[in-house]
């Protein structure tokens, strides 16, 4: 196969004893009770993790946040809250349904106020995933079609033959090729 990525340092934040689910869910908004602590996790990445990696290794500015399922939801949240922290956001099978699709109005508000600046977003869902996953994917796509600013390059893909587990494996090469070789 053809190499589509640049040399990279991959950083994975280990799971805490209680798991990572709470860190990936957006904080509760009015009328939503199933909120999480994504704001705290994003702040940790910005203030502790990224500076630690930059100090320990010879890094360049090119940063990509990759998430699957609840991690994909977190990638959308990170884009909505801090669009300039990463150069690209890959959201594979994002669990948009969490919290009654609370991420959609958050994303909509963010896209309307985001200053221009080159950022890339790739969102995918497996063609074999359930209705709530596909419906959430469609809501993200429609939000991007209606509100994406000029500085946001974005792509949405339905991955033929993929289910929830195989979608990130099949989607990553597509996302990488669209990011590095548009």
């Amino acid at each position: 196969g053809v190499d589509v990525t640049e040399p990279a340092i991959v950083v994975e934040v280990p799971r805490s004893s209680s798991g990572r689910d709470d860190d990936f869910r957006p904080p509760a908004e009015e009328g939503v009770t199933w909120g999480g602590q994504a704001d705290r996790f994003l702040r940790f990445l910005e203030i502790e993790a990224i500076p630690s990696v930059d100090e320990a290794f010879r890094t360049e500015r090119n940063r990509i946040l990759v998430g699957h399922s609840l991690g994909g939801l977190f990638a959308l949240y990170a884009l909505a809250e801090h669009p300039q922290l990463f150069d690209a956001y890959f959201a594979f099978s994002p669990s948009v349904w969490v919290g009654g699709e609370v991420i959609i109005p958050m994303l909509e508000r963010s896209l309307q106020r985001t200053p221009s600046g080159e950022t890339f977003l790739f969102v995918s869902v497996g063609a074999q995933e359930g209705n709530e996953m596909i419906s959430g994917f469609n809501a993200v796509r429609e939000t991007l079609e209606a509100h994406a600013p000029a500085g946001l390059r974005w792509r949405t893909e339905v991955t033929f033959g993929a289910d929830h587990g195989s979608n990130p494996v099949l989607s990553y090469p597509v996302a990488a090729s669209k990011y590095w070789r548009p």
Side-chain angles (χ1 to χ4, degrees), residues 13-20 23:
V13 178
R15 292 176 64 104
S16 63
S17 60
S18 62
R20 185 65 60 209
D23 293 336

Side-chain angles (χ1 to χ4, degrees), residues 37-118:
Q37 297 182 359
D39 54 337
R40 292 179 60 197
F41 187 57
L42 184 59
R43 202 166 37 257
F44 162 77
L45 292 178
E46 178 184 15
I47 294 170
E48 294 183 44
I50 291 171
S52 293
V53 171
D54 286 346
E55 186 177 310
F57 300 97
R58 193 174 63 204
T59 60
E60 294 180 9
R61 173 61 183 109
N62 192 10
R63 288 189 205 116
I64 302 170
L65 179 64
V66 179
H68 168 246
S69 197
L70 282 173
L73 174 67
F74 177 74
L76 293 174
Y77 174 80
L79 172 69
E81 289 299 307
H82 205 327
Q84 306 306 319
L85 185 58
F86 295 91
D87 299 292
Y89 299 81
F90 295 175
F92 304 130
S93 303
S95 298
V96 173
W97 56 269
V98 166
E101 295 192 353
V102 68
I103 193 64
I104 297 300
M106 294 173 91
L107 195 55
E108 192 173 297
R109 286 191 302 270
S110 173
L111 292 173
Q112 291 174 354
R113 72 173 188 270
T114 298
S116 61
E118 195 61 32

